[in-house]
Each structure stands twice: as C-alpha cells, then as structure tokens.
Amino acid sequence: MNHPPATIASLGALGPADRAPGAIVALRADAPLTWAALWQRVGTIARTHAKQAGTRVLLNAPEAAEFLIGFLGLLHAGKQVVIPANFQPAAIAHSAASCDVVLSAAEIQNTPANTSWCPTAPLPPDALIELTTSGSSGAPKAVIKRLTQLDTEVAALEAQFGATLGNAPVFATVPHFHIYGLLFRLLWPLAAGRSFDTAVSATPHALLNRLLAHGRGTVISSPAHLSRLGDLLDPAELAPRTIAIFSSGAPLLAATATELGAAMGQAPIEVYGSTETGGIAWRRQWPDADSPWQPLPGVTVTVDDAHSLLVRSPFAGDTTTATGDLAERLPNSHFRLLGRADRIVKLEGKRVALPAMETRLNTHPWIAACALVVLPGHREQLGAIAVLAPEGQRQLDTLGRRATIEDLRAHLLQHFERVTLPRRWRFPADLPYNERGKLPLDALQQLFDEAVPS
C-alpha cells in the first residue's frame, strides 16, 4: 500500500538557516559535527571548486562526515559528484582516470570555515551523482543518479518508516559509499534531522558500545553482519538500545530473522533494491517467516508472463525497469522473490534454478548458509560453498569430506537430477560477502582455485 510522502526537508533546498547552529549532524569520536560547522565548510568547498575547470570531481573521503561535507560542497559548486567503488588505491585510481579533479580527504579536513557563505539558490533537481556498483559480477559499472531521484527516495523512506524511528541517531555496520549506505546513513538522516554516527561498527560489540555511548538508535546493517551477530553477542543486549535494524544488499536468512526477532522482539526491516532502481520493497520475516515484499511508497511492481519482476519508480527516472529477478505476484501489489533470472542455468542439458537448489540445501540441518556457482571449464559444473552449522562441522570432523558431501548430495537428490548436483564443494567459515553485502561471482569462483582433498 502506498503512502503520501512525509513532510521532510528537500536535500537540494537545505541551507545554514534551516536548523539551530548547534544541532548535531554527525557523532564523532572527538567532537560532533554541528549544523553551523557543516555549512561553513561546505561553503568553502563550494566557492573553491566553483572556480575550478572541469565538471566531474571524484570524492575521495573515507570518513562519513567529511564525505557529506564534500558531497554538498561539490553539488553547490555545480559539479558532478563521482563516488568510487571503495577507497582502496586501485579503486580510486580507476575512478580518477575518468574525472577532471579529485577532492581528497586531506583537502576536506583542512578546509577553513567560511562563516559568510549561504546558497544563492536551491540545488538543481538534475544535479548528477555517479555511483559505482559491482553487483554480483565483480565488474565495476557506473550508475548515474539525479538529485531529485535521491530526494524522492529519502521522502519515501521517511513516509514509510519515519514515525517508527523518531529523532534517534543512526548507527551503521556498512560504509557510506554505495547507494544503501549513502541514503540510509547520510542523506535520509540529513533530510529528516537525525544525527548519524561516523563510525562503522565492524563487530557486534563495537555496535553495542556505540549505542551505549549515545543511547538508543537505528542500526543500518547487512545480512553478512547480522548472520554473525548471534554468534558473537546475545542479541537481547541490543534490544533496549535499538529502535529498528535495517538490512539490505542480499537476502537475509529466515533463521537469522527468527533468531533476532525472538531475542529482540523485532526482526530486521529488509529493503530490496539495487543501485539502478533504488529501493523497491521491504519486509520483515518474523513473526511471519513467509512475509511477502511490500513496495515502497511511489513504487509500482509488475510481473510478466515469464515471471520477471518489473519496476516503475521515481527513484529510477519513472521508467519501467527489469530487475533481473523472478517473482510471484501476490494480492495488494505484494510479491515473493523466486531468485535471479540469470541464475537459471543448463547443466548436461537440464535446466536448473540455482536459487531453488540453494533453498533446498539450506534446509539441511548441517548447513548454516550456502551459495552455488557455475565453474568455467571444458564442461560446466556446479560448485557449492557451504558454511556448516555446528552439527555439520562435527559431522565433517567425524565422517570426513567425502561422506559429508555424499550426505548433502543425497539430500539434494530428493529434488534434483543427479547430473545437475554440485561436483565440487568448499566449506569456508563464512561466505565471501564484500563491503556492500554482496557475494561477488569472482570471490565465489576463487574459492575453487586451490585443490583440496576429496
């Protein structure tokens, strides 16, 4: 069900006079970033870069508050902001090659305050922001967003979830340089008047300590972090400190949602979308494990005769976009995802839906999480990457690899033909999620580069 947008500040129209000078924008270990300090430094960057030639400026700012200062400053300078895939040297070099200028972290940190600057006009709705996404292929790809698309998505998020979140600050286990982190960690809090924590809490204990230091808050996380939370910390410890937890980037296992829901009284709010489409829909898998996806405000979804999910959204230019996912249409515009369309493969002449096989493998009591990948070679074959549950690890230690694999293959044989079953297996401690919460194809295939005893 769609809701009208909530009253929320437009990102393009924000300025120094909109909030109290001492209002806290960002929580930092040394001193918080205030509203006045934000705009004083934005003003200096805007004036400096407005005088420089060139349009495309790479924003190299690993720290979240400095990133926001640079982001707003460049937009007010009339520049196209280019956000790298990450802040590693190779990624910066790759993006810098197509840019006119690089705005470095050092330049932002050393920017003096300009107390007299004020925007002369709102930012143009068609101001451009370029993000870099790797998706599941591992190949970098540029995606252009217009400011109006980000503005509209922020308004939709506030309409759907704002009443639940209130004015509490935002904490995160994910970085700020992909679309999920950019929106949920920085731009949505900025527009709604919530402060955000600049720290990325890499562990559950680090997250708990940040919450203890600042009170209750909203947590922006990913399946990769949430799946390990219960192993490292009693989730009940987070319950009194957490207003809501968001998860995006990949599907959240039902077992993780159930564990967190039972311990905390609420399951994570999962948000489904992509860099290209923006947010599409949301759900909570607890207490209803079969909870369907519900479109975000303003988003229209359809399913064609081939079960492909199509999206029309103001976050993606109001054009109909193929998501690449398969889905089942349900009443009230709800839907259930059936896996990637490009993950239906042919093995020995047999069609196999990899998501369906992964779902079956995940029902085995020895399996905590898994992923399947097609391995290139003279004859294509499947590789299975399986993270073992404690009982599965005990069986592996007792029975050995060969017997363990045969048991798992027998489990799959109840539903799939023998010629389609995985031929090669790996049992890592964790799936190789990247910082975006994705499982890159190359990282999965690399697990099979070295031989192990059969």
Side-chain angles (χ1 to χ4, degrees), residues 367-449:
I367 301 298
C370 73
L372 297 175
V373 60
V374 177
L375 301 174
H378 176 68
R379 185 177 66 179
E380 285 191 339
Q381 56 184 315
L382 282 188
I385 302 100
V387 178
L388 296 175
E391 177 60 24
Q393 187 62 53
R394 282 192 290 271
Q395 294 296 334
L396 178 65
D397 295 340
T398 302
L399 301 175
R401 279 182 56 84
R402 186 182 296 274
T404 300
I405 290 170
E406 284 307 310
D407 192 287
L408 296 174
R409 284 170 57 87
H411 174 75
L412 292 175
L413 194 57
Q414 299 176 56
H415 305 279
F416 302 94
E417 295 184 62
R418 185 177 297 277
V419 295
T420 67
L421 300 184
R423 295 177 181 271
R424 300 177 66 189
W425 294 74
R426 293 293 184 270
F427 299 107
D430 294 294
L431 294 179
Y433 288 103
N434 63 16
E435 72 278 352
R436 298 169 181 259
K438 304 284 188 181
L439 281 174
L441 177 61
D442 57 351
L444 293 171
Q445 291 177 335
Q446 284 171 13
L447 292 173
F448 295 89
D449 287 348

Side-chain angles (χ1 to χ4, degrees), residues 224-446:
H225 287 88
L226 295 177
S227 65
R228 297 191 295 267
L229 194 153
D231 296 332
L232 302 172
L233 179 76
D234 182 354
E237 293 188 60
L238 289 174
R241 300 286 176 179
T242 304
I243 293 173
I245 297 177
F246 286 90
S247 176
S248 190
L252 183 67
L253 291 176
T256 301
T258 299
E259 178 189 16
L260 296 180
M264 302 179 65
Q266 60 168 321
I269 300 170
E270 296 178 70
V271 178
Y272 160 62
S274 68
T275 307
E276 293 85 351
T277 63
I280 295 172
W282 69 279
R283 70 173 180 179
R284 268 180 160 151
Q285 292 190 76
W286 183 89
D288 179 8
D290 199 34
S291 176
W293 293 98
Q294 306 177 45
L296 288 167
V299 177
T300 302
V301 299
T302 56
V303 178
D304 66 16
D305 292 341
H307 295 287
S308 296
L309 181 67
L310 308 177
V311 175
R312 187 178 182 90
S313 166
F315 322 147
D318 256 336
T319 58
T320 299
T321 303
T323 63
D325 290 319
L326 302 176
E328 175 190 3
R329 181 71 181 269
L330 302 173
N332 300 318
S333 296
H334 294 184
F335 61 93
R336 186 172 289 111
L337 288 172
L338 303 177
R340 292 287 298 173
D342 57 6
R343 298 191 73 221
I344 297 179
V345 300
K346 267 196 172 183
L347 297 166
E348 305 291 345
K350 308 290 185 180
R351 285 170 57 87
V352 181
L354 300 189
M357 189 178 287
E358 288 169 346
T359 298
R360 291 295 181 184
L361 189 53
N362 271 322
T363 64
H364 195 291
W366 296 357
I367 301 298
C370 73
L372 297 175
V373 60
V374 177
L375 301 174
H378 176 68
R379 185 177 66 179
E380 285 191 339
Q381 56 184 315
L382 282 188
I385 302 100
V387 178
L388 296 175
E391 177 60 24
Q393 187 62 53
R394 282 192 290 271
Q395 294 296 334
L396 178 65
D397 295 340
T398 302
L399 301 175
R401 279 182 56 84
R402 186 182 296 274
T404 300
I405 290 170
E406 284 307 310
D407 192 287
L408 296 174
R409 284 170 57 87
H411 174 75
L412 292 175
L413 194 57
Q414 299 176 56
H415 305 279
F416 302 94
E417 295 184 62
R418 185 177 297 277
V419 295
T420 67
L421 300 184
R423 295 177 181 271
R424 300 177 66 189
W425 294 74
R426 293 293 184 270
F427 299 107
D430 294 294
L431 294 179
Y433 288 103
N434 63 16
E435 72 278 352
R436 298 169 181 259
K438 304 284 188 181
L439 281 174
L441 177 61
D442 57 351
L444 293 171
Q445 291 177 335
Q446 284 171 13

Side-chain angles (χ1 to χ4, degrees), residues 48-75:
T48 300
H49 281 267
K51 302 173 185 176
Q52 294 185 356
T55 301
R56 291 167 52 80
V57 182
L58 178 65
L59 179 53
N60 180 10
E63 199 266 354
E66 307 292 349
F67 180 98
L68 181 61
I69 291 168
F71 181 86
L72 293 172
L74 292 176
L75 288 179

Side-chain angles (χ1 to χ4, degrees), residues 131-308:
L131 295 108
T132 305
T133 180
S134 60
S136 58
S137 68
K141 182 176 71 171
V143 177
I144 304 294
K145 290 287 186 179
R146 298 183 183 277
L147 182 62
T148 185
Q149 295 172 333
L150 302 181
D151 229 350
T152 305
E153 185 161 1
V154 162
L157 294 173
E158 184 67 13
Q160 185 68 63
F161 306 113
T164 299
L165 306 189
N167 295 320
V170 173
F171 302 83
T173 70
V174 298
H176 58 271
F177 48 79
H178 51 60
I179 189 68
Y180 175 46
L182 177 67
L183 286 169
F184 281 69
R185 280 193 65 189
L186 303 188
L187 301 187
W188 181 15
L190 178 71
R194 301 182 184 98
S195 57
F196 64 88
D197 188 26
T198 61
V200 176
S201 298
T203 68
H205 283 97
L207 175 61
L208 178 59
N209 288 336
R210 297 302 291 169
L211 289 166
L212 289 171
H214 296 287
R216 299 180 75 216
T218 295
V219 175
I220 310 303
S221 193
S222 70
H225 287 88
L226 295 177
S227 65
R228 297 191 295 267
L229 194 153
D231 296 332
L232 302 172
L233 179 76
D234 182 354
E237 293 188 60
L238 289 174
R241 300 286 176 179
T242 304
I243 293 173
I245 297 177
F246 286 90
S247 176
S248 190
L252 183 67
L253 291 176
T256 301
T258 299
E259 178 189 16
L260 296 180
M264 302 179 65
Q266 60 168 321
I269 300 170
E270 296 178 70
V271 178
Y272 160 62
S274 68
T275 307
E276 293 85 351
T277 63
I280 295 172
W282 69 279
R283 70 173 180 179
R284 268 180 160 151
Q285 292 190 76
W286 183 89
D288 179 8
D290 199 34
S291 176
W293 293 98
Q294 306 177 45
L296 288 167
V299 177
T300 302
V301 299
T302 56
V303 178
D304 66 16
D305 292 341
H307 295 287
S308 296

Side-chain angles (χ1 to χ4, degrees), residues 74-97:
L74 292 176
L75 288 179
H76 279 286
K79 305 300 182 180
Q80 177 177 337
V81 181
V82 179
I83 302 172
N86 56 58
F87 297 108
Q88 299 304 314
I92 295 298
H94 176 82
S95 294

